[in-house]
Short mmCIF file of all heavy atoms in Angstrom, two decimals:
data_model
loop_
_atom_site.label_atom_id
_atom_site.label_comp_id
_atom_site.label_asym_id
_atom_site.label_seq_id
_atom_site.Cartn_x
_atom_site.Cartn_y
_atom_site.Cartn_z
N GLN W 194 -41.14 -86.02 7.11
CA GLN W 194 -42.22 -86.20 6.17
C GLN W 194 -41.66 -86.60 4.86
O GLN W 194 -40.58 -86.16 4.50
CB GLN W 194 -43.19 -84.97 6.10
CG GLN W 194 -42.76 -83.91 5.22
CD GLN W 194 -43.75 -82.77 5.15
OE1 GLN W 194 -44.46 -82.48 6.13
NE2 GLN W 194 -43.69 -82.01 4.08
N ILE W 195 -42.48 -87.32 4.05
CA ILE W 195 -42.04 -87.62 2.62
C ILE W 195 -43.16 -87.30 1.74
O ILE W 195 -44.34 -87.42 2.15
CB ILE W 195 -41.52 -89.11 2.44
CG1 ILE W 195 -42.59 -90.10 2.77
CG2 ILE W 195 -40.36 -89.33 3.29
CD1 ILE W 195 -42.36 -91.47 2.27
N THR W 196 -42.81 -86.87 0.55
CA THR W 196 -43.87 -86.57 -0.45
C THR W 196 -43.91 -87.58 -1.56
O THR W 196 -42.85 -88.04 -2.10
CB THR W 196 -43.56 -85.20 -1.09
OG1 THR W 196 -43.44 -84.26 -0.06
CG2 THR W 196 -44.62 -84.71 -2.08
N LEU W 197 -45.11 -88.05 -1.87
CA LEU W 197 -45.39 -89.03 -2.94
C LEU W 197 -45.95 -88.26 -4.14
O LEU W 197 -46.81 -87.45 -3.92
CB LEU W 197 -46.37 -90.10 -2.49
CG LEU W 197 -46.07 -90.75 -1.11
CD1 LEU W 197 -47.34 -91.62 -0.79
CD2 LEU W 197 -44.89 -91.62 -1.18
N GLY W 198 -45.60 -88.63 -5.36
CA GLY W 198 -46.18 -88.02 -6.50
C GLY W 198 -45.41 -88.30 -7.77
O GLY W 198 -44.89 -89.35 -7.97
N ARG W 199 -45.41 -87.30 -8.64
CA ARG W 199 -44.83 -87.41 -9.99
C ARG W 199 -43.82 -86.25 -10.12
O ARG W 199 -44.17 -85.15 -10.07
CB ARG W 199 -45.88 -87.34 -11.02
CG ARG W 199 -45.36 -87.39 -12.45
CD ARG W 199 -46.55 -87.47 -13.44
NE ARG W 199 -47.78 -86.69 -13.09
CZ ARG W 199 -47.91 -85.46 -13.62
NH1 ARG W 199 -47.07 -84.82 -14.35
NH2 ARG W 199 -49.10 -84.76 -13.28
N ALA W 200 -42.60 -86.60 -10.26
CA ALA W 200 -41.54 -85.61 -10.41
C ALA W 200 -41.62 -84.98 -11.78
O ALA W 200 -41.89 -85.64 -12.87
CB ALA W 200 -40.17 -86.21 -10.18
N THR W 201 -41.37 -83.66 -11.82
CA THR W 201 -41.23 -82.94 -13.11
C THR W 201 -39.99 -82.08 -13.00
O THR W 201 -39.31 -82.03 -11.92
CB THR W 201 -42.54 -82.08 -13.35
OG1 THR W 201 -42.59 -81.02 -12.33
CG2 THR W 201 -43.77 -82.81 -13.47
N LYS W 202 -39.69 -81.44 -14.07
CA LYS W 202 -38.45 -80.58 -13.99
C LYS W 202 -38.57 -79.47 -12.95
O LYS W 202 -37.58 -79.10 -12.31
CB LYS W 202 -38.35 -79.89 -15.41
CG LYS W 202 -37.02 -79.25 -15.55
CD LYS W 202 -36.70 -78.68 -16.98
CE LYS W 202 -37.88 -78.61 -17.93
NZ LYS W 202 -37.54 -77.94 -19.20
N ASP W 203 -39.77 -79.02 -12.67
CA ASP W 203 -40.02 -77.92 -11.71
C ASP W 203 -40.44 -78.47 -10.38
O ASP W 203 -40.66 -77.64 -9.42
CB ASP W 203 -40.98 -76.85 -12.23
CG ASP W 203 -40.53 -76.23 -13.49
OD1 ASP W 203 -39.30 -76.03 -13.68
OD2 ASP W 203 -41.40 -76.09 -14.41
N ASN W 204 -40.75 -79.70 -10.25
CA ASN W 204 -41.35 -80.29 -9.08
C ASN W 204 -40.60 -81.49 -8.51
O ASN W 204 -40.66 -82.54 -9.13
CB ASN W 204 -42.84 -80.70 -9.30
CG ASN W 204 -43.59 -81.18 -8.14
OD1 ASN W 204 -43.47 -80.58 -7.02
ND2 ASN W 204 -44.26 -82.29 -8.22
N GLN W 205 -39.79 -81.38 -7.55
CA GLN W 205 -39.04 -82.48 -6.94
C GLN W 205 -39.79 -83.09 -5.79
O GLN W 205 -40.35 -82.35 -4.99
CB GLN W 205 -37.66 -81.97 -6.53
CG GLN W 205 -36.82 -81.47 -7.67
CD GLN W 205 -36.61 -82.50 -8.73
OE1 GLN W 205 -36.23 -83.63 -8.48
NE2 GLN W 205 -36.83 -82.09 -9.97
N ILE W 206 -39.78 -84.39 -5.76
CA ILE W 206 -40.51 -85.10 -4.65
C ILE W 206 -39.61 -86.16 -4.12
O ILE W 206 -38.57 -86.48 -4.71
CB ILE W 206 -41.82 -85.63 -5.14
CG1 ILE W 206 -41.59 -86.45 -6.39
CG2 ILE W 206 -42.93 -84.51 -5.44
CD1 ILE W 206 -42.54 -87.57 -6.54
N ASP W 207 -40.06 -86.81 -3.07
CA ASP W 207 -39.26 -87.91 -2.44
C ASP W 207 -39.40 -89.25 -3.03
O ASP W 207 -38.46 -89.99 -3.26
CB ASP W 207 -39.61 -87.99 -0.91
CG ASP W 207 -39.24 -86.68 -0.20
OD1 ASP W 207 -38.10 -86.18 -0.37
OD2 ASP W 207 -40.14 -86.16 0.46
N VAL W 208 -40.69 -89.59 -3.47
CA VAL W 208 -40.97 -90.88 -4.02
C VAL W 208 -41.70 -90.61 -5.36
O VAL W 208 -42.84 -90.16 -5.36
CB VAL W 208 -41.80 -91.79 -3.07
CG1 VAL W 208 -42.18 -93.10 -3.77
CG2 VAL W 208 -41.10 -92.04 -1.78
N ASP W 209 -40.99 -90.91 -6.53
CA ASP W 209 -41.61 -90.64 -7.76
C ASP W 209 -42.47 -91.85 -8.18
O ASP W 209 -41.89 -92.92 -8.62
CB ASP W 209 -40.51 -90.33 -8.78
CG ASP W 209 -41.08 -89.99 -10.15
OD1 ASP W 209 -42.32 -89.87 -10.33
OD2 ASP W 209 -40.28 -89.63 -11.04
N LEU W 210 -43.72 -91.77 -8.08
CA LEU W 210 -44.64 -92.88 -8.41
C LEU W 210 -44.75 -93.09 -9.90
O LEU W 210 -45.24 -94.15 -10.36
CB LEU W 210 -46.03 -92.69 -7.75
CG LEU W 210 -46.03 -92.62 -6.23
CD1 LEU W 210 -47.36 -92.18 -5.72
CD2 LEU W 210 -45.64 -94.00 -5.59
N ALA W 211 -44.48 -92.15 -10.66
CA ALA W 211 -44.54 -92.28 -12.13
C ALA W 211 -43.57 -93.37 -12.71
O ALA W 211 -43.81 -93.90 -13.76
CB ALA W 211 -44.23 -90.92 -12.82
N LEU W 212 -42.58 -93.62 -11.93
CA LEU W 212 -41.62 -94.74 -12.32
C LEU W 212 -42.24 -96.13 -12.32
O LEU W 212 -41.75 -97.03 -12.89
CB LEU W 212 -40.38 -94.70 -11.44
CG LEU W 212 -39.59 -93.35 -11.41
CD1 LEU W 212 -38.45 -93.47 -10.32
CD2 LEU W 212 -39.00 -93.15 -12.81
N GLU W 213 -43.44 -96.24 -11.64
CA GLU W 213 -44.08 -97.55 -11.51
C GLU W 213 -45.18 -97.82 -12.46
O GLU W 213 -45.68 -98.89 -12.55
CB GLU W 213 -44.67 -97.62 -10.03
CG GLU W 213 -43.57 -97.56 -8.99
CD GLU W 213 -42.68 -98.78 -9.02
OE1 GLU W 213 -43.10 -99.93 -9.28
OE2 GLU W 213 -41.50 -98.51 -8.78
N GLY W 214 -45.65 -96.74 -13.24
CA GLY W 214 -46.82 -96.99 -14.11
C GLY W 214 -47.26 -95.76 -14.83
O GLY W 214 -46.40 -94.79 -14.93
N PRO W 215 -48.44 -95.72 -15.32
CA PRO W 215 -48.90 -94.58 -16.08
C PRO W 215 -48.90 -93.30 -15.28
O PRO W 215 -49.57 -93.11 -14.31
CB PRO W 215 -50.35 -94.93 -16.46
CG PRO W 215 -50.46 -96.41 -16.37
CD PRO W 215 -49.45 -96.76 -15.29
N ALA W 216 -48.02 -92.33 -15.75
CA ALA W 216 -47.87 -91.12 -15.00
C ALA W 216 -49.09 -90.17 -15.01
O ALA W 216 -49.21 -89.43 -14.15
CB ALA W 216 -46.69 -90.37 -15.57
N TRP W 217 -49.95 -90.28 -16.05
CA TRP W 217 -51.01 -89.42 -16.11
C TRP W 217 -52.06 -89.56 -15.01
O TRP W 217 -52.92 -88.77 -14.69
CB TRP W 217 -51.79 -89.49 -17.42
CG TRP W 217 -52.29 -90.87 -17.75
CD1 TRP W 217 -51.64 -91.96 -18.30
CD2 TRP W 217 -53.57 -91.33 -17.51
NE1 TRP W 217 -52.52 -92.95 -18.53
CE2 TRP W 217 -53.71 -92.63 -17.96
CE3 TRP W 217 -54.70 -90.72 -16.87
CZ2 TRP W 217 -54.80 -93.40 -17.74
CZ3 TRP W 217 -55.87 -91.54 -16.81
CH2 TRP W 217 -55.87 -92.81 -17.25
N LYS W 218 -51.96 -90.72 -14.30
CA LYS W 218 -52.84 -91.02 -13.18
C LYS W 218 -52.35 -90.47 -11.82
O LYS W 218 -53.04 -90.56 -10.82
CB LYS W 218 -53.07 -92.52 -12.98
CG LYS W 218 -53.89 -93.10 -14.17
CD LYS W 218 -54.17 -94.62 -13.99
CE LYS W 218 -55.06 -95.18 -14.96
NZ LYS W 218 -55.46 -96.54 -14.74
N ILE W 219 -51.17 -89.94 -11.81
CA ILE W 219 -50.54 -89.57 -10.57
C ILE W 219 -50.41 -88.06 -10.53
O ILE W 219 -50.02 -87.45 -11.50
CB ILE W 219 -49.05 -90.14 -10.44
CG1 ILE W 219 -49.05 -91.67 -10.55
CG2 ILE W 219 -48.41 -89.72 -9.16
CD1 ILE W 219 -49.85 -92.39 -9.48
N SER W 220 -50.84 -87.44 -9.51
CA SER W 220 -50.67 -85.97 -9.32
C SER W 220 -49.23 -85.63 -9.09
O SER W 220 -48.52 -86.51 -8.49
CB SER W 220 -51.52 -85.51 -8.11
OG SER W 220 -52.88 -85.59 -8.47
N ARG W 221 -48.77 -84.46 -9.35
CA ARG W 221 -47.42 -84.05 -9.03
C ARG W 221 -47.20 -84.18 -7.53
O ARG W 221 -46.19 -84.59 -7.12
CB ARG W 221 -47.16 -82.63 -9.52
CG ARG W 221 -47.02 -82.56 -11.10
CD ARG W 221 -46.62 -81.27 -11.46
NE ARG W 221 -47.61 -80.25 -11.27
CZ ARG W 221 -48.66 -80.03 -12.19
NH1 ARG W 221 -48.69 -80.64 -13.29
NH2 ARG W 221 -49.54 -79.13 -11.91
N LYS W 222 -48.16 -83.82 -6.80
CA LYS W 222 -48.04 -83.96 -5.29
C LYS W 222 -49.31 -84.75 -4.88
O LYS W 222 -50.37 -84.21 -4.55
CB LYS W 222 -48.07 -82.60 -4.61
CG LYS W 222 -47.72 -82.68 -3.16
CD LYS W 222 -47.63 -81.26 -2.59
CE LYS W 222 -47.29 -81.20 -1.13
NZ LYS W 222 -47.20 -79.88 -0.58
N GLN W 223 -49.15 -86.11 -4.92
CA GLN W 223 -50.23 -87.01 -4.59
C GLN W 223 -50.56 -87.14 -3.19
O GLN W 223 -51.63 -87.22 -2.70
CB GLN W 223 -49.96 -88.38 -5.21
CG GLN W 223 -51.13 -89.35 -5.06
CD GLN W 223 -52.36 -88.99 -5.88
OE1 GLN W 223 -52.28 -88.74 -7.04
NE2 GLN W 223 -53.47 -88.89 -5.24
N GLY W 224 -49.54 -87.18 -2.38
CA GLY W 224 -49.73 -87.41 -0.88
C GLY W 224 -48.45 -87.12 -0.06
O GLY W 224 -47.30 -87.04 -0.62
N ILE W 225 -48.69 -86.91 1.17
CA ILE W 225 -47.59 -86.68 2.10
C ILE W 225 -47.75 -87.64 3.25
O ILE W 225 -48.89 -87.72 3.88
CB ILE W 225 -47.62 -85.20 2.61
CG1 ILE W 225 -47.47 -84.24 1.44
CG2 ILE W 225 -46.53 -84.99 3.68
CD1 ILE W 225 -47.64 -82.86 1.88
N ILE W 226 -46.66 -88.31 3.69
CA ILE W 226 -46.70 -89.10 4.94
C ILE W 226 -45.91 -88.41 5.98
O ILE W 226 -44.83 -87.92 5.69
CB ILE W 226 -46.07 -90.49 4.59
CG1 ILE W 226 -46.87 -91.30 3.58
CG2 ILE W 226 -45.98 -91.34 5.90
CD1 ILE W 226 -46.28 -92.56 3.16
N LYS W 227 -46.60 -88.24 7.13
CA LYS W 227 -45.95 -87.52 8.20
C LYS W 227 -45.94 -88.39 9.47
O LYS W 227 -46.86 -89.06 9.73
CB LYS W 227 -46.76 -86.23 8.58
CG LYS W 227 -46.70 -85.18 7.44
CD LYS W 227 -47.42 -83.91 7.90
CE LYS W 227 -47.40 -82.83 6.81
NZ LYS W 227 -48.03 -81.57 7.26
N LEU W 228 -44.83 -88.16 10.27
CA LEU W 228 -44.76 -88.78 11.60
C LEU W 228 -45.17 -87.71 12.59
O LEU W 228 -44.55 -86.62 12.64
CB LEU W 228 -43.27 -89.23 11.78
CG LEU W 228 -43.00 -89.75 13.18
CD1 LEU W 228 -43.81 -91.03 13.51
CD2 LEU W 228 -41.53 -90.09 13.33
N LYS W 229 -46.17 -88.03 13.44
CA LYS W 229 -46.61 -87.12 14.52
C LYS W 229 -45.71 -87.30 15.73
O LYS W 229 -45.04 -88.31 15.90
CB LYS W 229 -48.11 -87.40 14.86
CG LYS W 229 -49.05 -87.29 13.72
CD LYS W 229 -49.08 -85.71 13.34
CE LYS W 229 -50.14 -85.52 12.22
NZ LYS W 229 -50.28 -84.21 11.88
N ASN W 230 -45.87 -86.37 16.68
CA ASN W 230 -45.09 -86.39 17.89
C ASN W 230 -45.30 -87.64 18.80
O ASN W 230 -44.35 -88.03 19.44
CB ASN W 230 -45.30 -85.15 18.74
CG ASN W 230 -44.72 -83.93 18.04
OD1 ASN W 230 -43.93 -83.97 17.27
ND2 ASN W 230 -45.36 -82.79 18.44
N ASN W 231 -46.53 -88.17 18.60
CA ASN W 231 -46.88 -89.46 19.43
C ASN W 231 -46.44 -90.69 18.75
O ASN W 231 -46.66 -91.79 19.28
CB ASN W 231 -48.31 -89.41 19.72
CG ASN W 231 -49.14 -89.59 18.50
OD1 ASN W 231 -48.70 -89.63 17.37
ND2 ASN W 231 -50.49 -89.63 18.70
N GLY W 232 -45.77 -90.64 17.61
CA GLY W 232 -45.24 -91.83 17.01
C GLY W 232 -46.14 -92.38 15.91
O GLY W 232 -45.80 -93.39 15.29
N ASP W 233 -47.35 -91.80 15.64
CA ASP W 233 -48.20 -92.28 14.70
C ASP W 233 -47.86 -91.69 13.29
O ASP W 233 -47.44 -90.54 13.21
CB ASP W 233 -49.65 -91.82 15.02
CG ASP W 233 -50.26 -92.55 16.20
OD1 ASP W 233 -49.72 -93.68 16.47
OD2 ASP W 233 -51.25 -92.04 16.79
N PHE W 234 -48.09 -92.52 12.26
CA PHE W 234 -47.85 -92.00 10.92
C PHE W 234 -49.25 -91.71 10.27
O PHE W 234 -50.20 -92.51 10.50
CB PHE W 234 -47.17 -93.12 10.06
CG PHE W 234 -45.72 -93.21 10.28
CD1 PHE W 234 -45.17 -94.06 11.27
CD2 PHE W 234 -44.80 -92.42 9.61
CE1 PHE W 234 -43.87 -94.19 11.40
CE2 PHE W 234 -43.46 -92.48 9.84
CZ PHE W 234 -42.97 -93.36 10.72
N PHE W 235 -49.40 -90.62 9.57
CA PHE W 235 -50.61 -90.30 8.83
C PHE W 235 -50.17 -90.00 7.36
O PHE W 235 -49.17 -89.57 7.07
CB PHE W 235 -51.19 -89.01 9.39
CG PHE W 235 -52.02 -89.27 10.63
CD1 PHE W 235 -51.38 -89.32 11.87
CD2 PHE W 235 -53.35 -89.47 10.60
CE1 PHE W 235 -52.03 -89.46 13.04
CE2 PHE W 235 -54.04 -89.64 11.75
CZ PHE W 235 -53.42 -89.71 12.97
N ILE W 236 -51.11 -90.35 6.46
CA ILE W 236 -51.00 -89.97 5.08
C ILE W 236 -52.07 -88.95 4.75
O ILE W 236 -53.26 -89.18 5.11
CB ILE W 236 -50.95 -91.27 4.14
CG1 ILE W 236 -50.66 -90.83 2.72
CG2 ILE W 236 -52.35 -91.94 4.25
CD1 ILE W 236 -50.36 -91.97 1.79
N ALA W 237 -51.72 -87.92 4.06
CA ALA W 237 -52.66 -86.88 3.58
C ALA W 237 -52.67 -86.95 2.08
O ALA W 237 -51.69 -87.00 1.38
CB ALA W 237 -52.26 -85.51 4.03
N ASN W 238 -53.92 -87.10 1.50
CA ASN W 238 -54.13 -87.11 0.07
C ASN W 238 -54.17 -85.71 -0.46
O ASN W 238 -55.11 -84.98 -0.15
CB ASN W 238 -55.36 -87.91 -0.28
CG ASN W 238 -55.45 -88.08 -1.79
OD1 ASN W 238 -54.78 -87.46 -2.55
ND2 ASN W 238 -56.43 -88.94 -2.17
N GLU W 239 -53.19 -85.28 -1.19
CA GLU W 239 -53.09 -83.96 -1.89
C GLU W 239 -53.54 -84.00 -3.29
O GLU W 239 -53.63 -82.95 -3.90
CB GLU W 239 -51.65 -83.49 -1.74
CG GLU W 239 -51.02 -83.37 -0.29
CD GLU W 239 -51.73 -82.30 0.46
OE1 GLU W 239 -51.88 -81.20 -0.06
OE2 GLU W 239 -51.92 -82.47 1.69
N GLY W 240 -53.82 -85.13 -3.87
CA GLY W 240 -54.26 -85.23 -5.27
C GLY W 240 -55.72 -85.29 -5.45
O GLY W 240 -56.54 -85.20 -4.48
N ARG W 241 -56.09 -85.44 -6.77
CA ARG W 241 -57.46 -85.45 -7.15
C ARG W 241 -58.08 -86.85 -7.04
O ARG W 241 -59.26 -87.11 -6.73
CB ARG W 241 -57.65 -84.93 -8.51
CG ARG W 241 -57.52 -83.38 -8.63
CD ARG W 241 -57.70 -83.01 -10.03
NE ARG W 241 -56.51 -83.35 -10.78
CZ ARG W 241 -56.29 -83.18 -12.09
NH1 ARG W 241 -57.30 -82.70 -12.82
NH2 ARG W 241 -55.19 -83.40 -12.65
N ARG W 242 -57.25 -87.85 -7.28
CA ARG W 242 -57.67 -89.23 -7.23
C ARG W 242 -57.55 -89.84 -5.78
O ARG W 242 -56.69 -89.33 -5.13
CB ARG W 242 -56.91 -90.11 -8.22
CG ARG W 242 -57.19 -89.73 -9.63
CD ARG W 242 -56.37 -90.63 -10.46
NE ARG W 242 -56.50 -90.25 -11.95
CZ ARG W 242 -57.32 -90.90 -12.80
NH1 ARG W 242 -57.93 -91.97 -12.34
NH2 ARG W 242 -57.42 -90.53 -13.97
N PRO W 243 -58.42 -90.79 -5.43
CA PRO W 243 -58.26 -91.29 -4.05
C PRO W 243 -56.99 -92.17 -3.91
O PRO W 243 -56.42 -92.74 -4.86
CB PRO W 243 -59.51 -92.22 -3.90
CG PRO W 243 -60.01 -92.50 -5.30
CD PRO W 243 -59.52 -91.33 -6.16
N ILE W 244 -56.47 -92.15 -2.77
CA ILE W 244 -55.43 -93.11 -2.26
C ILE W 244 -56.17 -94.19 -1.39
O ILE W 244 -56.99 -93.91 -0.61
CB ILE W 244 -54.40 -92.43 -1.44
CG1 ILE W 244 -53.66 -91.39 -2.23
CG2 ILE W 244 -53.42 -93.44 -0.79
CD1 ILE W 244 -52.57 -90.57 -1.44
N TYR W 245 -55.85 -95.47 -1.63
CA TYR W 245 -56.62 -96.53 -0.89
C TYR W 245 -55.59 -97.05 0.17
O TYR W 245 -54.47 -97.42 -0.09
CB TYR W 245 -56.95 -97.75 -1.85
CG TYR W 245 -57.98 -97.30 -2.77
CD1 TYR W 245 -57.68 -96.70 -3.99
CD2 TYR W 245 -59.36 -97.42 -2.44
CE1 TYR W 245 -58.67 -96.29 -4.89
CE2 TYR W 245 -60.36 -97.09 -3.29
CZ TYR W 245 -60.01 -96.44 -4.44
OH TYR W 245 -60.99 -96.04 -5.41
N ILE W 246 -56.06 -97.09 1.33
CA ILE W 246 -55.40 -97.54 2.55
C ILE W 246 -56.07 -98.83 3.03
O ILE W 246 -57.26 -98.70 3.49
CB ILE W 246 -55.26 -96.58 3.76
CG1 ILE W 246 -54.79 -95.19 3.19
CG2 ILE W 246 -54.46 -97.09 4.87
CD1 ILE W 246 -53.39 -95.23 2.63
N ASP W 247 -55.48 -99.93 2.97
CA ASP W 247 -56.12 -101.22 3.31
C ASP W 247 -57.39 -101.39 2.63
O ASP W 247 -58.41 -101.84 3.22
CB ASP W 247 -56.20 -101.40 4.79
CG ASP W 247 -54.87 -101.36 5.52
OD1 ASP W 247 -53.89 -101.86 4.96
OD2 ASP W 247 -54.65 -100.83 6.64
N GLY W 248 -57.58 -100.92 1.34
CA GLY W 248 -58.84 -101.08 0.59
C GLY W 248 -59.82 -100.01 0.85
O GLY W 248 -60.82 -99.95 0.08
N ARG W 249 -59.53 -99.08 1.72
CA ARG W 249 -60.51 -98.02 1.98
C ARG W 249 -60.03 -96.73 1.24
O ARG W 249 -58.86 -96.32 1.39
CB ARG W 249 -60.65 -97.63 3.51
CG ARG W 249 -61.18 -98.79 4.25
CD ARG W 249 -61.38 -98.34 5.72
NE ARG W 249 -61.76 -99.43 6.50
CZ ARG W 249 -61.02 -100.07 7.42
NH1 ARG W 249 -59.82 -99.63 7.70
NH2 ARG W 249 -61.53 -101.01 8.13
N PRO W 250 -60.92 -96.01 0.56
CA PRO W 250 -60.50 -94.80 -0.19
C PRO W 250 -60.33 -93.57 0.75
O PRO W 250 -61.16 -93.38 1.62
CB PRO W 250 -61.69 -94.56 -1.18
CG PRO W 250 -62.81 -95.19 -0.56
CD PRO W 250 -62.31 -96.35 0.21
N VAL W 251 -59.17 -92.93 0.55
CA VAL W 251 -58.99 -91.62 1.22
C VAL W 251 -59.08 -90.64 0.09
O VAL W 251 -58.19 -90.55 -0.75
CB VAL W 251 -57.62 -91.63 1.91
CG1 VAL W 251 -57.38 -90.26 2.52
CG2 VAL W 251 -57.58 -92.73 2.98
N LEU W 252 -60.06 -89.81 0.12
CA LEU W 252 -60.28 -88.84 -0.94
C LEU W 252 -59.34 -87.62 -0.76
O LEU W 252 -58.81 -87.38 0.26
CB LEU W 252 -61.80 -88.32 -0.93
CG LEU W 252 -62.74 -89.45 -1.12
CD1 LEU W 252 -64.22 -88.84 -1.02
CD2 LEU W 252 -62.61 -90.20 -2.46
N GLY W 253 -59.23 -86.89 -1.90
CA GLY W 253 -58.40 -85.65 -1.87
C GLY W 253 -58.70 -84.74 -0.76
O GLY W 253 -60.00 -84.45 -0.49
N GLY W 254 -57.80 -84.19 -0.09
CA GLY W 254 -58.00 -83.23 1.02
C GLY W 254 -58.18 -83.94 2.37
O GLY W 254 -58.32 -83.23 3.43
N ASN W 255 -58.20 -85.20 2.37
CA ASN W 255 -58.31 -85.97 3.73
C ASN W 255 -57.08 -86.68 4.04
O ASN W 255 -56.14 -86.89 3.27
CB ASN W 255 -59.47 -86.97 3.54
CG ASN W 255 -60.83 -86.34 3.39
OD1 ASN W 255 -61.33 -85.47 4.17
ND2 ASN W 255 -61.44 -86.62 2.22
N LYS W 256 -57.00 -87.04 5.38
CA LYS W 256 -55.88 -87.89 5.84
C LYS W 256 -56.36 -89.11 6.56
O LYS W 256 -57.51 -89.14 6.93
CB LYS W 256 -54.96 -86.94 6.68
CG LYS W 256 -55.60 -86.44 7.97
CD LYS W 256 -54.63 -85.62 8.73
CE LYS W 256 -55.24 -85.04 9.99
NZ LYS W 256 -54.31 -84.26 10.81
N TRP W 257 -55.34 -90.02 6.72
CA TRP W 257 -55.72 -91.32 7.31
C TRP W 257 -54.57 -91.75 8.12
O TRP W 257 -53.40 -91.64 7.75
CB TRP W 257 -56.03 -92.33 6.25
CG TRP W 257 -56.65 -93.59 6.78
CD1 TRP W 257 -56.06 -94.71 7.09
CD2 TRP W 257 -58.10 -93.78 6.88
NE1 TRP W 257 -56.92 -95.62 7.45
CE2 TRP W 257 -58.26 -95.10 7.31
CE3 TRP W 257 -59.18 -93.05 6.71
CZ2 TRP W 257 -59.50 -95.61 7.66
CZ3 TRP W 257 -60.45 -93.50 6.99
CH2 TRP W 257 -60.57 -94.91 7.44
N LYS W 258 -54.81 -92.33 9.24
CA LYS W 258 -53.69 -92.92 10.16
C LYS W 258 -53.27 -94.27 9.50
O LYS W 258 -54.04 -95.17 9.16
CB LYS W 258 -54.23 -93.21 11.57
CG LYS W 258 -53.14 -93.82 12.39
CD LYS W 258 -53.63 -94.01 13.78
CE LYS W 258 -52.54 -94.75 14.62
NZ LYS W 258 -53.04 -95.37 15.83
N LEU W 259 -51.91 -94.42 9.34
CA LEU W 259 -51.36 -95.64 8.89
C LEU W 259 -50.96 -96.56 10.04
O LEU W 259 -50.39 -96.09 11.04
CB LEU W 259 -50.08 -95.35 8.10
CG LEU W 259 -50.27 -94.52 6.81
CD1 LEU W 259 -48.93 -94.16 6.21
CD2 LEU W 259 -51.16 -95.27 5.82
N ASN W 260 -51.49 -97.85 9.89
CA ASN W 260 -51.08 -98.85 10.96
C ASN W 260 -49.88 -99.61 10.51
O ASN W 260 -49.52 -99.58 9.34
CB ASN W 260 -52.30 -99.71 11.24
CG ASN W 260 -53.48 -98.95 11.80
OD1 ASN W 260 -53.34 -98.15 12.74
ND2 ASN W 260 -54.64 -99.12 11.15
N ASN W 261 -49.35 -100.43 11.41
CA ASN W 261 -48.28 -101.28 11.08
C ASN W 261 -48.73 -102.31 9.93
O ASN W 261 -49.85 -102.78 10.08
CB ASN W 261 -47.83 -102.12 12.30
CG ASN W 261 -46.60 -102.96 12.10
OD1 ASN W 261 -45.72 -102.48 11.33
ND2 ASN W 261 -46.54 -104.03 12.79
N ASN W 262 -48.00 -102.41 8.88
CA ASN W 262 -48.29 -103.22 7.71
C ASN W 262 -49.52 -102.75 6.89
O ASN W 262 -50.10 -103.56 6.17
CB ASN W 262 -48.56 -104.70 8.11
CG ASN W 262 -47.30 -105.32 8.66
OD1 ASN W 262 -46.17 -105.06 8.13
ND2 ASN W 262 -47.38 -106.06 9.73
N SER W 263 -49.87 -101.45 6.94
CA SER W 263 -50.92 -100.95 6.11
C SER W 263 -50.49 -100.97 4.70
O SER W 263 -49.31 -100.87 4.32
CB SER W 263 -51.19 -99.45 6.40
OG SER W 263 -51.89 -99.27 7.55
N VAL W 264 -51.43 -101.30 3.77
CA VAL W 264 -51.23 -101.37 2.35
C VAL W 264 -51.72 -100.10 1.78
O VAL W 264 -52.84 -99.74 1.93
CB VAL W 264 -51.94 -102.56 1.73
CG1 VAL W 264 -51.81 -102.55 0.13
CG2 VAL W 264 -51.43 -103.93 2.32
N VAL W 265 -50.75 -99.34 1.08
CA VAL W 265 -51.06 -98.12 0.44
C VAL W 265 -51.16 -98.31 -1.07
O VAL W 265 -50.15 -98.74 -1.65
CB VAL W 265 -50.05 -97.03 0.80
CG1 VAL W 265 -50.37 -95.69 0.07
CG2 VAL W 265 -50.05 -96.84 2.27
N GLU W 266 -52.27 -97.95 -1.71
CA GLU W 266 -52.45 -98.09 -3.16
C GLU W 266 -52.76 -96.80 -3.75
O GLU W 266 -53.61 -96.03 -3.33
CB GLU W 266 -53.60 -99.09 -3.49
CG GLU W 266 -53.36 -100.44 -3.06
CD GLU W 266 -54.55 -101.34 -3.35
OE1 GLU W 266 -54.69 -101.76 -4.51
OE2 GLU W 266 -55.37 -101.55 -2.36
N VAL W 267 -51.96 -96.34 -4.78
CA VAL W 267 -52.18 -95.10 -5.53
C VAL W 267 -52.54 -95.39 -7.00
O VAL W 267 -51.88 -96.21 -7.59
CB VAL W 267 -50.96 -94.25 -5.47
CG1 VAL W 267 -51.15 -92.93 -6.11
CG2 VAL W 267 -50.50 -94.01 -4.03
#
């Protein structure tokens, strides 16, 4: 699994999205991408703002299956 978000001195993550733009829009732990036993990838939104998968919003507390070539927008 990998964690997406905003790194701080006390919070280390795998992919620091704050390096790409305004950090105040990114939660410290925005999302987690996991590989399931059957080979499927899922993204779980751990932040307050939606994550968009192929243009569809995934609200905080929800998860979504990622397909081949899915576009993830944070």
Side-chain angles (χ1 to χ4, degrees):
Q194 83 178 26
I195 62 167
T196 305
L197 312 170
R199 176 172 42 93
T201 62
K202 191 172 14 173
D203 301 323
N204 183 47
Q205 298 301 313
I206 53 152
D207 299 311
V208 179
D209 188 359
L210 298 171
L212 300 173
E213 298 296 321
W217 61 271
K218 292 185 176 186
I219 305 295
S220 294
R221 284 185 294 274
K222 190 173 180 184
Q223 183 67 53
I225 299 173
I226 297 176
K227 292 184 179 181
L228 174 62
K229 299 293 185 177
N230 291 338
N231 64 1
D233 290 339
F234 284 94
F235 281 84
I236 188 166
N238 186 350
E239 302 287 323
R241 287 180 283 175
R242 295 177 181 262
I244 295 174
Y245 293 88
I246 310 299
D247 297 326
R249 295 185 185 110
V251 178
L252 303 177
N255 292 302
K256 63 182 178 179
W257 194 266
K258 180 182 175 192
L259 296 173
N260 296 311
N261 190 31
N262 294 321
S263 284
V264 175
V265 179
E266 297 175 81
V267 181

